[in-house]
Amino acid sequence: MTATHTHSPFGNYGYAVLTAQALRAPDAVALDCDAGRRTYAELNRQVNRRATVLRSQGIAQGRRVACLLHAPLGITEVYLAAAKTGAVVAALNPYWSDDMLVAVVERSGCTAFVYDGCADELVERIRPALPGVTDWLRLGGPAPAAVDFDGESHAASDAEPELGACHDDPLALFFTSGTTGLPKAVVHTHSGALSTAQLWLDVPRGPDPVFGTGPIIWGVGFIAIAGPALYGGMRLVLEADFSPATFLEAAARERITHISVIPSFFTELLRDNRHRQADLTSLRVVLLGGEPVLPAVLARIKERLPTTEVFSYYGQTEAPYSVIGRPGTAMATKAVGRARTACAVKVVDASGNRLVGEAGEICLTGPHLLAGYDGQPEQTAEVLRDGWYVGGDLGVLDERGALTVLGRRQDAIARAGRYVLPGEIEEAALAVPGVAEAGAVAVPGKGSDQHILLAVAPVPEQALDEPTVRDALAGMLPEHCHPDAVVIADRLPHGQDASGGQGKLLRREIRDRWAHRVQGRGL
């Protein structure tokens, strides 16, 4: 940390996100959760106590701390406390296997481990395999061979701690959801995370904003959701379960004004008529990202929430909230939006030449980008090219700078000398009466052509059969997009994101479960 960094504490993520708000509006409510309500001043004092305990254990600038936490309040306090001390959080996924957790902790160089009561049995299993971890801290009360983080915090000083890092110093390691090998550790810095927190320069807040979320704030969701909400002076409602059913109750109880979810959240929410009985009149802004926002899903949301502003966004763990906008307004219906303030986006061909109005590879840049993949310089060089992040997604940029995301290059289906994108087929399938959700994937065929497998889930209590879906699609799609097999499933497979609702659609799981339906047809 250079001498110029010490002139102002506002380059430290924990101070800029939380302490600044506590100085500005100490009595404003920062968050509500199962443990009760905290003002900004109260939350800041508790975070300071946590930071004091970390420092007493020698957990300060540059030291890496594995965090395996389930409770949103614990995540919020520990992540912000670590930021103030300068420790680097390794945000572990509680749904990884034991072997995966051990391998990630070892490769990340963590020498301290913070966990809560939900992880007691898991920690007991993996602890012998982690001799490099010398400090274990537990939230939720005392435990053998672990620091009682809560007890020590209760007796600790709540004065502002000496800030241990800022600006370009590493803040945290957030992990990709790679399908093979160990997930890559994405390094985000204090300044990069603060740039992400400035989301509200591009999205309206209005008076008395209330942001609702759940345990999804572990991982990069913390700097994409919880951090921006606090940075923007909002009231953060932390639900232990943010499933659609819980959301319906919490939205009315807490008068939630803002949420950020994946489109599949609304696919599940609007499957039946329970939402019709809920009071959602407080909801002002819905942010949709993480998956393509298909026009059919957007139409269903707008029908249910006609006065709510719907924003779509595009980004990745390596570059959160890069592009944002209101679909279907001044932009093309399928466009996500334009680059967020201080960020930029371009689409290039295979030679790196900029394209307008043509499909190519999406490139992102801005102060919010990852610093790199921890300990993996070759992989870093593959995605960071001349200051741009190139993550392998395909898209089209129009002459006004609006980006339409076509999807992952690896998801494109080779058919009849052309590439078919799953979203084209899924959008048509959602227009078929009785279809609640759709997922299209490629299945290897003979030669270079691939077969198309479509899985659909019906609206509850509505009959749906393969011939009906197939006949309807024949009239909506060109022949090279026609699926070779249609599977009717009660539900489609989704990833576990800890939110309580269904996570992202797992196309690879669709392929694994039902590829034989195509192969069995002798195609």
Side-chain angles (χ1 to χ4, degrees):
M1 190 163 62
T2 67
T4 56
H5 287 177
T6 63
H7 290 170
S8 170
F10 292 93
N12 176 277
Y13 184 79
Y15 191 97
V17 164
L18 178 59
T19 308
Q21 288 296 338
L23 293 171
R24 184 185 68 85
D27 297 327
V29 177
L31 58 81
D32 281 297
C33 62
D34 289 343
R37 175 168 288 188
R38 303 283 191 278
T39 66
Y40 274 94
E42 290 168 341
L43 178 61
N44 188 56
R45 288 195 292 268
Q46 177 64 3
V47 166
N48 289 346
R49 295 185 191 101
R50 298 286 195 198
T52 300
V53 175
L54 292 176
R55 279 199 170 277
S56 73
Q57 300 297 313
I59 301 171
Q61 184 173 6
R63 191 165 176 195
R64 297 189 168 193
V65 185
C67 291
L68 187 61
L69 300 168
H70 295 71
L73 178 60
I75 291 171
T76 302
E77 293 177 353
V78 171
Y79 283 20
L80 290 173
K84 287 191 176 187
T85 69
V88 180
V89 164
L92 304 181
N93 184 336
Y95 292 91
W96 284 336
S97 67
D98 291 9
D99 290 343
M100 179 75 80
L101 283 165
V102 169
V104 168
V105 171
E106 286 185 327
R107 192 182 70 180
S108 300
C110 297
T111 58
F113 198 115
V114 179
Y115 66 100
D116 58 25
C118 293
D120 281 343
E121 293 183 4
L122 189 154
V123 166
E124 185 177 355
R125 294 195 304 269
I126 67 174
R127 186 166 180 160
L130 292 171
V133 176
T134 56
D135 291 283
W136 297 80
L137 296 85
R138 181 183 186 272
L139 274 70
V147 172
D148 178 2
F149 207 165
D150 291 339
E152 294 292 326
S153 297
H154 182 72
S157 169
D158 63 7
E160 286 295 329
E162 178 185 351
L163 300 177
C166 57
H167 298 296
D168 293 334
D169 293 324
L171 168 73
L173 307 179
F174 299 119
F175 297 89
T176 63
S177 55
T179 57
T180 58
L182 288 182
K184 294 189 289 291
V186 180
V187 182
H188 279 280
T189 65
H190 285 253
S191 59
L194 284 173
S195 175
T196 297
Q198 294 172 355
L199 169 69
W200 308 112
L201 294 176
D202 298 275
V203 179
R205 278 176 291 174
D208 303 319
V210 180
F211 202 114
T213 189
I216 197 171
I217 64 170
W218 66 260
V220 77
F222 181 82
I223 64 169
I225 295 176
L230 296 172
Y231 188 79
M234 306 175 84
R235 177 161 66 93
L236 182 62
V237 174
L238 298 175
E239 293 290 329
D241 168 15
F242 207 63
S243 65
T246 303
F247 161 72
L248 293 176
E249 188 274 330
R253 184 187 72 242
E254 303 291 347
R255 304 305 294 166
I256 290 172
T257 62
H258 291 65
I259 60 170
S260 178
V261 294
I262 59 176
S264 296
F265 180 93
F266 275 98
T267 301
E268 183 178 3
L269 181 74
L270 303 178
R271 280 174 64 94
D272 54 42
N273 289 319
R274 285 179 296 177
H275 65 91
R276 299 288 180 189
Q277 311 305 316
D279 180 5
L280 301 180
T281 55
S282 64
L283 204 59
R284 300 181 204 147
V285 171
V286 169
L287 291 163
L288 298 174
E291 298 175 329
V293 184
L294 299 179
V297 175
L298 182 62
R300 294 176 186 177
I301 295 171
K302 288 186 173 181
E303 185 274 329
R304 177 60 180 88
L305 302 169
T307 62
T308 300
E309 293 188 89
V310 179
F311 287 79
S312 57
Y313 68 86
Y314 167 74
Q316 299 186 27
T317 299
E318 293 86 345
Y321 287 133
S322 295
V323 174
I324 198 160
R326 296 182 61 191
T329 54
M331 301 180 300
T333 303
K334 296 181 183 179
V336 174
R338 300 182 180 87
R340 192 164 56 85
T341 299
C343 302
V345 59
K346 66 179 179 179
V347 171
V348 301
D349 62 18
S351 300
N353 299 311
R354 190 181 187 96
L355 299 173
V356 176
E358 299 180 51
E361 196 162 30
I362 299 171
C363 305
L364 306 168
T365 194
H368 67 313
L369 294 187
L370 77 162
Y373 294 123
D374 185 51
Q376 296 181 288
E378 293 182 1
Q379 288 86 342
T380 298
E382 289 177 5
V383 300
L384 286 180
R385 307 175 194 171
D386 298 324
W388 292 83
Y389 170 71
V390 186
D393 283 350
L394 303 177
V396 176
L397 199 70
D398 70 17
E399 65 280 356
R400 300 180 62 189
L403 176 70
T404 298
V405 179
L406 300 178
R408 301 288 295 173
R409 184 192 301 277
Q410 64 196 40
D411 290 335
I413 305 167
R415 188 67 174 268
R418 312 179 192 184
Y419 281 109
V420 178
L421 293 164
E424 299 177 53
I425 303 167
E426 293 162 2
E427 181 182 343
L430 287 173
V432 177
V435 172
E437 189 177 17
V441 299
V443 176
K446 295 179 181 179
S448 59
D449 265 11
Q450 296 174 312
H451 298 308
I452 299 174
L453 168 66
L454 174 66
V456 298
V459 173
E461 301 180 0
Q462 288 199 27
L464 199 63
D465 57 68
E466 178 178 350
T468 298
V469 175
R470 186 184 292 277
D471 290 346
L473 293 179
M476 290 189 279
L477 292 169
E479 186 174 355
H480 69 277
C481 294
H482 290 178
D484 297 298
V486 176
V487 173
I488 311 295
D490 291 338
R491 285 186 177 273
L492 300 191
H494 288 263
Q496 176 56 262
D497 65 8
S499 69
Q502 58 185 8
K504 294 181 181 179
L505 180 68
L506 296 178
R507 289 194 174 89
R508 64 179 182 276
E509 185 68 17
I510 291 175
R511 185 183 301 108
D512 291 344
R513 290 186 188 183
W514 296 302
H516 66 280
R517 298 287 188 92
V518 176
Q519 296 157 351
R521 291 175 179 272
L523 297 169

